[in-house]
Amino acid sequence: MNPVSSFFHGVADRFRALPRWGRLVVLAVVVVLVYFLPILNPPVITTPDSDFGAVLFLCAMYALVAIGLNIVIGYAGLLDLGYIGFFAIGAYTVGVLGSAHAKVPLLLCIPAAMAVTLISGVVLGAPTLRVRGDYLAIVTLGFGEIVRLILVNADKLTNGNRGISGIPTPPSLDLFGVPHLVWDGFVARVDLDNQTRFIKFSVVDSIPYYWLALTLVFFVLFLDWRMQNSRVGRAWEATREDEDAAELMGVPTFRFKLLAFATGAAIGGLSGALFATKQQFINPDNFTILYSVLFVAMVVVGGQGNRWGVVVAAALLTYLPERFRDLSDARFLLFGLALMALAIFRPQGLMPARRNVRAKRADEETEVLEEGAAHA
Amino acid sequence: MDLLLSNFWAYTIGGLAFGAIYALIALGYTLVYGVLRLINFAHSEVFMWGSFAAVWVLLALGAKGATGLGLVAFLIIGFAAAMAVSAAVALGLEFVAYRPLRKRNSPPLIALISAIGASYVLSEAMGLRDKPFKWFGADDNLADYVGRPREASPLPLDVPTVRLFYIFDYHVSNIDLIVLGSAIVMMVVLDQFVQRSRLGRGIRAVAQDAEAAALMGVNRDRVIRLTFVIGGAMAGAAAMMYLLKIGVTRYNAGFLLGVKAFTAAVLGGIGNLRGALLGGFVLGVAESYGSALFGSNWKDVVAFTLLVVILLFRPTGLLGESLGKARA
């Protein structure tokens, strides 16, 4: 066992050994810390070359994307290389309804975005989920690119390459200010001049958006957990492991695949909507195929099927290139090298799903038994 | 509609020429898929490296301004350089990105991640090619080769467009003829090689059943290396044709072309060599007609929509999958 995985396992074992209240306290502390991260602005971790709050917002938003794609790839085992298409549809639904053609308030735009992406997921999935494996990958890749090209070319609806600006922000409350910490080396000081208004959404401060995104992440994680532990989650697992066997056992595999696809699409749409309201300006360049590839990398790096794993991987893969911006030119090269190294040295991902680990171990045991019988 | 009808043959020949390029790249995808059941995502970068190899070699030989027989010689040299470098890059790719995974029996999705990583590395290495020379202060002398690495590099060869003969109302040019002719020659040679030679039989055997082939004494690793080399060489040839057609290349030129070529491979039935050829030509022509009918900015939409529609009715592509079973 390599040091990385023994570290993770050690931490996980410690955590599980705690009494119930202890676990809750640890979780609460972690959650609070995560919320206050941009306020604390800790040295070493903070990003010297870009706005830390904005980077954290991106981390949370991509975590949301990864949770959605994890349902498609990790649970249902469908390789979707066009996830950016749903993200783009979500963002543009908000853009078109909220700014370009109507002035619908954001709180109505977001459910609309999710509904539109859900429908587009069903429309794309219904014909294509019948083809298996690698064909699905290329069909979805094509879909992602078609969406982008339509955004470029359907001038009247999407304003083409010029994009849509003036996308509405979420409603603000503006109750009180939260002062930031400023670090002088490793000595902290409270900076009363630099405050984040709770909770006022504006271009100047990304932190309220980060809080919003983080809340959505926790909310969706909760739904995801409930879903995976239900009949639906088990049906997905059965379909992923052996589609024919599942079908024979009476699982309507096609319907469940479609459900996974549509659920994933809706979450993609939600993250796209979040992106649109944060940026307030979107154009088709935000939605190239390369992002789809990056999303898949997040899910696989995290360990497909493990919701915490993909969240951590999404945050890391977003954060690291921003943190090391001084290596800016070479960061994609390093990213590529890291992916290759990961595939070779840790093929199960940083935090593999526990169910997969168990299944693998059981498989190995059976194999040993069978070999023993053959040699006897 | 009128545009297409009045220039029907121009769009057809143009589409076929592009289709030939797609088809040659698609061969690389389909060969590797047939043998390894793996989407070689980094194949597009193999193509891109081949295109730069041709540019550099022709620069080094001072090919600019050559005419007559010299031009023909430089063309052949360009093809040879691109094919050699692409084959070498493909071989290196197999060695670094895929072999270690195969040794460990990794699941296919992990191989895809490794391929994505390799693809980033190859394309970014080209996009940053001035950096190592800057450390040695040699970048000024080599400015033609490594200067402005993110910009397009032109092919240093003046190939005059000569109109040769008519096909109905379209005046076929020498470039169309070179691209289509060399593509067809290479496809026929490859097809015969895979069908008739001993090594080709090895490829088909591994594609059909790797374990049984190994038991029959086929060296699987050697066959896999061979498929990467052949696929790479075909991508190199496609790179030179691309340069002749488009005139420039850049560090990210491979990506969209690779996606298209993979689409072509799937369209024809992945794992099937003749399928890749058919898929490439169908895609090229469909795109060309699509751009005539709906405007050139819609041509990629046409290409992908065609793929979706065909997969709906023929879920394994036009000619069906399987390198082993389809006799080719």
Side-chain angles (χ1 to χ4, degrees), chain B residues 112-187:
Chain B
L112 185 69
I113 289 297
S114 181
I116 291 171
S119 170
Y120 269 103
V121 171
L122 282 173
S123 117
E124 284 300 309
M126 186 55 83
L128 297 169
R129 62 181 183 274
D130 58 335
K131 290 283 180 301
F133 293 99
K134 272 208 180 112
W135 297 334
F136 301 115
D139 55 321
D140 283 341
N141 304 334
L142 296 171
D144 286 345
Y145 300 89
V146 298
R148 295 191 301 145
R150 302 271 174 189
E151 305 295 318
S153 305
L155 176 73
L157 203 59
D158 305 311
V159 186
T161 308
V162 184
R163 300 284 168 184
L164 296 172
F165 56 87
Y166 281 98
I167 292 185
F168 296 90
D169 56 346
Y170 177 61
H171 214 163
V172 178
S173 77
N174 54 343
I175 292 181
D176 293 327
L177 205 66
I178 295 171
V179 169
L180 275 172
S182 49
I184 288 170
V185 168
M186 247 170 293
M187 289 164 191

Side-chain angles (χ1 to χ4, degrees), chain A residues 35-350:
Chain A
Y35 268 98
F36 276 95
L37 207 49
I39 299 289
L40 297 176
N41 207 12
V44 182
I45 295 177
T46 190
T47 47
D49 307 310
S50 37
D51 177 15
F52 191 45
V55 171
L56 284 175
F57 166 79
L58 280 183
C59 289
M61 187 194 73
Y62 284 129
L64 198 60
V65 171
I67 296 168
L69 189 57
N70 183 42
I71 294 177
V72 182
I73 296 181
Y75 296 169
L78 306 164
L79 181 51
D80 183 348
L81 284 178
Y83 202 64
I84 189 70
F86 299 122
F87 185 81
I89 291 176
Y92 263 88
T93 309
V94 171
V96 168
L97 290 181
S99 168
H101 293 277
K103 295 283 177 263
V104 179
L106 187 81
L107 288 184
L108 292 177
C109 286
I110 289 181
M114 289 182 73
V116 171
T117 43
L118 188 85
I119 293 167
S120 59
V122 172
V123 168
L124 175 70
T128 55
L129 286 176
R130 290 175 204 280
V131 303
R132 281 194 180 187
D134 301 325
Y135 288 89
L136 184 68
I138 189 69
V139 171
T140 49
L141 189 68
F143 166 76
E145 188 62 8
I146 288 179
V147 169
R148 191 184 68 82
L149 289 167
I150 288 177
L151 295 182
V152 172
N153 291 321
D155 248 2
K156 294 221 170 60
L157 185 66
T158 65
N159 221 2
N161 272 325
R162 277 158 296 147
I164 297 176
S165 54
I167 295 167
T169 59
S172 303
L173 281 174
D174 201 1
L175 296 175
F176 52 86
V178 184
H180 287 228
L181 282 190
V182 180
W183 294 81
D184 189 13
F186 284 90
V187 183
R189 171 168 69 77
V190 175
D191 184 0
L192 288 173
D193 298 334
N194 182 8
Q195 297 195 347
T196 291
R197 299 302 298 177
F198 184 92
I199 199 170
K200 183 169 180 251
F201 295 96
S202 66
V203 201
V204 285
D205 198 349
S206 308
I207 295 174
Y209 285 103
Y210 167 65
W211 286 332
L212 174 67
L214 200 61
T215 311
L216 284 174
V217 166
F218 285 126
F219 178 63
V220 173
L221 271 175
F222 174 74
L223 295 184
D224 180 70
W225 171 62
R226 297 304 300 155
M227 214 152 172
Q228 199 201 2
N229 282 325
S230 70
R231 200 171 76 90
V232 177
R234 289 192 296 277
W236 282 338
E237 194 181 352
T239 310
R240 178 188 70 211
E241 292 303 321
D242 189 334
E243 199 172 333
D244 295 325
E247 189 79 51
L248 284 173
M249 301 310 282
V251 179
T253 53
F254 175 71
R255 237 184 280 167
F256 277 107
K257 285 200 286 186
L258 195 57
L259 179 66
F261 209 67
T263 315
I267 297 178
L270 174 64
S271 21
L274 199 60
F275 177 75
T277 173
K278 162 72 171 62
Q279 298 293 320
Q280 302 183 7
F281 169 75
I282 47 177
N283 73 353
D285 290 342
N286 299 128
F287 309 105
T288 58
I289 285 188
L290 277 171
Y291 285 97
S292 287
V293 175
L294 184 68
F295 296 162
V296 173
M298 286 170 183
V299 171
V300 179
V301 167
Q304 322 153 33
N306 182 336
R307 65 179 77 81
W308 294 106
V310 300
V311 167
V312 169
L316 275 181
L317 290 187
T318 318
Y319 168 76
L320 289 178
E322 295 290 342
R323 173 67 183 82
F324 299 104
R325 236 173 209 283
D326 31 343
L327 302 171
S328 60
D329 282 342
R331 65 202 163 124
F332 287 108
L333 185 74
L334 295 174
F335 178 69
L337 286 174
L339 284 187
M340 284 169 77
L342 180 101
I344 293 171
F345 297 112
R346 199 166 164 78
Q348 68 276 47
L350 290 177

Side-chain angles (χ1 to χ4, degrees), chain A residues 134-135 138 149 153 343 347, chain B residues 33 101 104 110 262 297 300 321:
Chain A
D134 301 325
Y135 288 89
I138 189 69
L149 289 167
N153 291 321
Chain B
Y33 188 88
L101 301 185
R104 290 157 196 250
I110 289 300
F262 186 66
N297 37 6
D300 295 342
E321 347 185 88

Side-chain angles (χ1 to χ4, degrees), chain B residues 182-238:
Chain B
S182 49
I184 288 170
V185 168
M186 247 170 293
M187 289 164 191
V188 171
V189 169
L190 178 66
D191 191 60
Q192 291 301 308
F193 172 77
V194 172
Q195 262 195 48
R196 291 182 199 267
S197 77
R198 210 179 131 76
L199 285 170
R201 203 158 65 213
I203 293 181
R204 279 182 294 143
V206 174
Q208 213 165 43
D209 187 336
E211 247 173 69
L215 289 175
M216 293 296 149
V218 178
N219 183 341
R220 180 156 180 253
D221 277 340
R222 204 171 78 182
V223 164
I224 290 170
R225 275 200 298 273
L226 183 71
T227 54
F228 271 89
V229 167
I230 296 177
M234 293 292 151

Side-chain angles (χ1 to χ4, degrees), chain B:
Chain B
M1 200 68 204
D2 290 342
L3 187 65
L4 178 60
L5 286 182
S6 55
N7 297 297
F8 182 75
W9 290 102
Y11 278 110
T12 308
I13 306 278
L16 283 177
F18 250 98
I21 297 175
Y22 292 149
L24 282 179
I25 305 175
L27 282 174
Y29 282 106
T30 224
L31 272 170
V32 169
Y33 188 88
V35 171
L36 284 177
R37 307 277 141 199
L38 165 89
I39 303 175
N40 181 8
F41 201 84
H43 191 59
S44 48
E45 312 312 325
V46 169
F47 160 86
M48 182 272 291
W49 275 76
S51 67
F52 272 97
V55 168
W56 288 337
V57 167
L58 294 179
L59 262 179
L61 295 176
K64 190 109 187 141
T67 49
L69 269 183
L71 183 63
V72 175
F74 280 129
L75 269 180
I76 294 173
I77 291 172
F79 268 105
M83 289 171 79
V85 168
S86 282
V89 172
L91 194 61
L93 181 69
E94 196 269 332
F95 193 75
V96 175
Y98 298 134
R99 177 157 319 175
L101 301 185
R102 222 163 50 240
K103 292 250 155 64
R104 290 157 196 250
N105 278 329
S106 303
L109 204 51
I110 289 300
L112 185 69
I113 289 297
S114 181
I116 291 171
S119 170
Y120 269 103
V121 171
L122 282 173
S123 117
E124 284 300 309
M126 186 55 83
L128 297 169
R129 62 181 183 274
D130 58 335
K131 290 283 180 301
F133 293 99
K134 272 208 180 112
W135 297 334
F136 301 115
D139 55 321
D140 283 341
N141 304 334
L142 296 171
D144 286 345
Y145 300 89
V146 298
R148 295 191 301 145
R150 302 271 174 189
E151 305 295 318
S153 305
L155 176 73
L157 203 59
D158 305 311
V159 186
T161 308
V162 184
R163 300 284 168 184
L164 296 172
F165 56 87
Y166 281 98
I167 292 185
F168 296 90
D169 56 346
Y170 177 61
H171 214 163
V172 178
S173 77
N174 54 343
I175 292 181
D176 293 327
L177 205 66
I178 295 171
V179 169
L180 275 172
S182 49
I184 288 170
V185 168
M186 247 170 293
M187 289 164 191
V188 171
V189 169
L190 178 66
D191 191 60
Q192 291 301 308
F193 172 77
V194 172
Q195 262 195 48
R196 291 182 199 267
S197 77
R198 210 179 131 76
L199 285 170
R201 203 158 65 213
I203 293 181
R204 279 182 294 143
V206 174
Q208 213 165 43
D209 187 336
E211 247 173 69
L215 289 175
M216 293 296 149
V218 178
N219 183 341
R220 180 156 180 253
D221 277 340
R222 204 171 78 182
V223 164
I224 290 170
R225 275 200 298 273
L226 183 71
T227 54
F228 271 89
V229 167
I230 296 177
M234 293 292 151
M240 187 65 198
M241 293 173 194
Y242 176 84
L243 281 173
L244 284 175
K245 231 18 223 164
I246 305 285
V248 294
T249 181
R250 55 193 297 165
Y251 78 102
N252 59 2
F255 186 75
L256 191 59
L257 210 64
V259 172
K260 292 277 188 60
F262 186 66
T263 305
V266 172
L267 198 60
I270 191 157
N272 181 331
L273 289 188
R274 289 177 184 177
L277 305 187
L278 183 67
F281 284 123
V282 168
L283 189 71
V285 172
E287 258 188 28
S288 182
Y289 291 167
S291 68
L293 289 177
F294 308 107
S296 61
N297 37 6
W298 288 98
K299 76 174 187 185
D300 295 342
V301 179
V302 172
F304 289 121
T305 312
L306 178 78
L307 174 81
V308 174
V309 171
I310 287 190
L311 283 186
L312 288 186
F313 293 103
R314 291 207 42 106
T316 53
L318 291 172
L319 296 188
E321 347 185 88
S322 167
L323 193 61
K325 280 173 212 149
R327 281 206 64 230

